[in-house]
C-alpha cells in the first residue's frame, strides 16, 4: 500500500517535494494545499488534487503524512502544531535558536492527537546535525567545524534587495579555502567569522544609482556583511538571470578528534554536500523522513521527533534483510 | 550510574576499547577477558579485573555490555552468539558476505536471552554503511561509490608476508586521485577495480632473496594484487619499523544523485574518514554503540541490531533536550 502524502504550501520546497515523491514508488501525492485560490494553481501530478488549506481538516482519513512546506519565520510556528493535531507531519523548521520552543509546542499537539511530528528536517538542521552527532559521540575529545557554501543565501540576497537603488541581487556564501584546509589537516584552528567565510554579491542597480554608496551600504551592513570580507559585483539584469538563476548550496561538517593512550592519534570525519538545488535536496530529505514518520506512527509511536530520534533504516523503502545484504 | 563494560579479547581492538572507555565518563571498564593466563596480561585500567574467558558466564550481573574484540574469520562467528545468550554485546563482524548468516545466528541467541546484540559495528561495515543508507534513501536516483585508503590493509600485508623470502611487509591501499575527482565532479564514471585503487607495498626481504621473483609473485597474486596496479618497494627492517609502524586508514563514500522535473539537478553527498589508527577509531565506534545497546536493552528491546537500526541520539551521553539545543 502506498503512503499517501499531502503537500502544505506550494513554493520552491513544495514543488521539490512533488518531484521527490515521483522518485519514490512507495509514495503517492494525494493533494497539494494552498492559501491561494486552488483553481489558479497548476501542479505536475495529474492524479493529485489541489485543495484550499481550509479543506485539510476534512481529509485526515486520506493523507498519511502531511509535508509542511512553509517558511520558518511565520508559517511553521503556527502551522506545524495545528497540523500535528490532525496528521503525521514533517517540517523543515530551521531557526536553530527557536527549535526547543518549536519542539515543545509541536510535541504537545502531536502527543494529544497520537501523531508523529518530525521537525527541523533538511540538511542544516538535518543531515549536518546528524553528522555532528555521530562524530561527536564517536570522538568525544574533539572539535566541530561547519562551513557553508559555496551557495546562495536567500536571507543575504533579500537584505541587499532592500537597499535603495538595488533592483535585484544574489549573494553567495563561500568558505575560505585556507581555513577548510587547516581543519582538514587536523590543525584544530580557532577561526573568527571573517576567517571562515567570504561573501560574494551580484547586484543589479537602478539606472543612475550611486554604485559606490550601494557597495558601501552592503559591506557595512551589521550582522549580514560587516563581519565578513565582502565582494560586490555590479551586473546587468540579463547577466544575473543568465549566470545566477540557480539556487545551489552545500557545505561541510568536519570533526577532528583524538584517541589513544596519550591522545596521540588524530581522526578526521568529514561530511560534505554539493547541491545544485538547495530546495530540491531539502525536499528529498523531507520525503525520506515522511516515510520514517509513517513507519513510526504505524509502530504506535507519537510525539515530536527530530532526525536524531529516527532509526536510519526507517528512511529506506527496503526491508532490514535487504539493507543488511546489499549495503551494510 | 555508570555503564559497566567488559572487553572480550585484548588485541589492538581491545586495547583501543579500553582507551575509548576512559574518554567516556558515563562508562566503566569492569573486566578484560582473555584466553591467555590472566596473570600474564597487563592492562591500563587499575580498577578493572583481568579474567579468563571461562569466568564470563559467572559475571552476567556485573557487566552491562560485553564488547567482543575478536576477529571475524573464526572468533566472532562462535563468540557473538555464545556471549549474546549471556550479555548485551557489540561486535565488529566485517565479512560483508556473511553478515546475513551471522545476523540470524546472533538474533536467535539474543532474543532467547532477552539481550541486545549489535553486530558489524565500525566504519565499513558501520559508518560507511550508514552513509550509503542515508544518501541512498534521500537520493533514490543515483549511484554509490566507496573508496578505501590511503591505509594499511592487514589482509594484503599478511598475504605478502607468506611469500617465500619475505621477512616483513606492509601494504597500503590507495584510491586513484583521478577516479575520486571524476566521482566528486558528478561524472558518474563506470570504474574497473584497477581504475579505483592502486596498491603500494613496502617489503623487507631475507638476505640473498631473489627480489625480482618476490616482486613478480606479489604483482601477479590472484584476488589480492593481480587486478591492481601494484608498486613494490624493498626496504630494510629498520625503515619499515621507522616509517610504516602505524595503522592508518580511511576512505570515502560518495553518492551522486539527481532531482528535479527532468532530473536536471545533481547532488553530491560525501562522507570521508582520515584515521591515524584504524583499530582505535573502530574501538571508538564500538564504545558509542555499547551505550546504544545498553539504552535499547533498558527500553525493553532485544535481538540482533545493526547501525541501521539505532536511533542516533542513543549514541550520545547527552539528553534529547541538550542535543536539540546544542547541535541540531
Amino acid at each position: 500500500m502506498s503512503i499517501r502524502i499531502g503537500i502544505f504550501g506550494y513554493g520552491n520546497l513544495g514543488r521539490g517535494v512533488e518531484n521527490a515523491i515521483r522518485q519514490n514508488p512507495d509514495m503517492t501525492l494525494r493533494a497539494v494545499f494552498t492559501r491561494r485560490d486552488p483553481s489558479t494553481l497548476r501542479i505536475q501530478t495529474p492524479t493529485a488534487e489541489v485543495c484550499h488549506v481550509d479543506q485539510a481538516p476534512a481529509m485526515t482519513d486520506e493523507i498519511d503524512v502531511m509535508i509542511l512546506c512553509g517558511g520558518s519565520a511565520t508559517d511553521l510556528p503556527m502551522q506545524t502544531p495545528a497540523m500535528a493535531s490532525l496528521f503525521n507531519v514533517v517540517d523543515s523548521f530551521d531557526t536553530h535558536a527557536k527549535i526547543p520552543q518549536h519542539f515543545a509546542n509541536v510535541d504537545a499537539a502531536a502527543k494529544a492527537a497520537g501523531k508523529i511530528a518530525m521537525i527541523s528536517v533538511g540538511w542544516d538542521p538535518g543531515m549536518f546535525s546528524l553528522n555532528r552527532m555521530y562524530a561527536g559521540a564517536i570522538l568525544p575529545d574533539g572539535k566541530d567545524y561547519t562551513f557553508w557554501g559555496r551557495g546562495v543565501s536567500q536571507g543575504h540576497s533579500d537584505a541587499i534587495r532592500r537597499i535603495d537603488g538595488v533592483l535585484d541581487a544574489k549573494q553567495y556564501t563561500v568558505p575560505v579555502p585556507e581555513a577548510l584546509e587547516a581543519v582538514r589537516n587536523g590543525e584544530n584552528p580557532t577561526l573568527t567569522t571573517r576567517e571562515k567565510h567570504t561573501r560574494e554579491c551580484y547586484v543589479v542597480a537602478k539606472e543612475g544609482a550611486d554604485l559606490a554608496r550601494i557597495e558601501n551600504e552592503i559591506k557595512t551592513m551589521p550582522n549580514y556583511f560587516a563581519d565578513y570580507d565582502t565582494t560586490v559585483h555590479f551586473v546587468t539584469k540579463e547577466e544575473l538571470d543568465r549566470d545566477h538563476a540557480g539556487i545551489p548550496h552545500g557545505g561541510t561538517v568536519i570533526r577532528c578528534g583524538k584517541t589513544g593512550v596519550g591522545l596521540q592519534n588524530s581522526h578526521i570525519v568529514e561530511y560534505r554536500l554539493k547541491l545544485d538545488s538547495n530546495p530540491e535536496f531539502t525536499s528529498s530529505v523531507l520525503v525520506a523522513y515522511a516515510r520514517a514518520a509513517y513507519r513510526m506512527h504505524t509502530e504506535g509511536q507519537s510525539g515530536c521527533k527530530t532526525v536524531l530520534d529516527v532509526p536510519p533504516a526507517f528512511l529506506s523503502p527496503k526491508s532490514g534483510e535487504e539493507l543488511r545484504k546489499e549495503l551494510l
Side-chain angles (χ1 to χ4, degrees), chain A:
Chain A
M1 212 199 66
S2 198
I3 305 171
R4 301 164 302 172
I5 305 287
I7 294 175
F8 201 87
Y10 196 67
N12 280 338
L13 210 54
R15 285 193 295 272
V17 168
E18 184 180 22
N19 287 329
I21 291 169
R22 281 209 306 277
Q23 297 182 275
N24 288 279
D26 61 334
M27 299 191 178
T28 311
L29 178 60
R30 177 66 187 79
V32 171
F33 297 87
T34 178
R35 282 177 292 206
R36 293 174 261 175
D37 172 0
S39 70
T40 64
L41 206 70
R42 296 180 60 87
I43 64 171
Q44 304 277 336
T45 312
T47 52
E49 269 180 79
V50 180
C51 304
H52 192 267
V53 290
D54 293 344
Q55 295 174 259
M59 293 176 70
T60 51
D61 289 343
E62 298 171 56
I63 285 167
D64 296 312
V65 186
M66 186 73 94
I67 301 182
L68 303 173
C69 299
S72 297
T74 55
D75 298 334
L76 298 177
M78 306 296 293
Q79 288 172 359
T80 310
M83 288 296 116
S85 67
L86 299 166
F87 302 97
N88 299 308
V89 300
V90 183
D91 84 13
S92 63
F93 185 78
D94 66 359
T95 314
H96 289 262
K98 293 183 180 165
I99 288 174
Q101 184 57 52
H102 189 57
F103 184 93
N105 296 343
V106 173
D107 194 46
K111 278 202 177 118
K115 301 293 182 188
I116 287 283
M118 198 85 76
I119 64 159
S120 300
V121 172
W123 59 275
D124 196 2
M127 300 313 295
F128 274 18
S129 325
L130 268 179
N131 278 279
R132 287 187 282 260
M133 229 244 63
Y134 277 118
I138 293 167
L139 298 170
D141 289 297
K143 202 167 164 182
D144 273 336
Y145 294 86
T146 303
F147 291 90
W148 294 273
R150 188 176 191 260
V152 172
S153 162
Q154 220 54 62
H156 289 79
S157 302
D158 290 344
I160 300 173
R161 287 192 203 103
R162 286 191 294 266
I163 292 174
D164 189 47
V166 171
L167 272 179
D168 203 352
K170 209 96 179 223
Q171 193 270 180
Y172 295 89
T173 307
V174 186
V176 174
E178 294 75 19
L180 204 45
E181 216 37 48
V183 172
R184 282 194 183 126
N185 289 339
E187 297 169 23
N188 270 327
T190 303
L191 298 166
T192 63
T193 299
R194 190 177 301 275
E195 287 166 336
K196 284 185 76 185
H197 296 93
T198 54
R199 300 200 173 275
E200 255 176 57
C201 312
Y202 293 84
V203 182
V204 183
K206 285 184 189 152
E207 228 186 284
D210 180 348
L211 303 188
R213 176 194 48 84
I214 292 173
E215 179 163 346
N216 186 254
E217 276 193 46
I218 295 172
K219 290 185 170 175
T220 57
M221 196 185 297
N223 304 319
Y224 285 90
F225 294 100
D227 297 336
Y228 299 85
D229 288 339
T230 301
T231 324
V232 177
H233 305 276
F234 288 99
V235 295
T236 64
K237 177 70 179 153
E238 291 67 38
E239 286 169 329
L240 193 79
D241 292 345
R242 187 192 64 206
D243 303 333
H244 305 282
I247 320 175
H249 219 314
T252 294
V253 172
I254 306 180
R255 187 172 182 88
C256 176
K258 306 272 187 187
T259 66
V261 180
L263 298 185
Q264 74 278 28
N265 287 318
S266 279
H267 308 282
I268 312 281
V269 182
E270 174 169 357
Y271 179 77
R272 196 203 309 200
L273 294 175
K274 202 175 127 200
L275 312 173
D276 274 358
S277 164
N278 183 356
E280 285 180 9
F281 185 80
T282 301
S283 301
S284 298
V285 182
L286 285 167
V287 167
Y289 277 93
R291 180 181 291 118
Y294 177 75
R295 294 234 188 126
M296 290 172 101
H297 184 251
T298 305
E299 274 197 347
Q301 297 190 53
S302 69
C304 191
K305 308 285 175 188
T306 76
V307 296
L308 306 177
D309 303 310
V310 178
F314 278 23
L315 301 177
S316 172
K318 296 184 179 180
S319 70
E321 214 171 338
E322 289 172 301
L323 291 173
R324 285 190 295 274
K325 196 172 173 210
E326 294 168 19
L327 62 67
L328 191 66

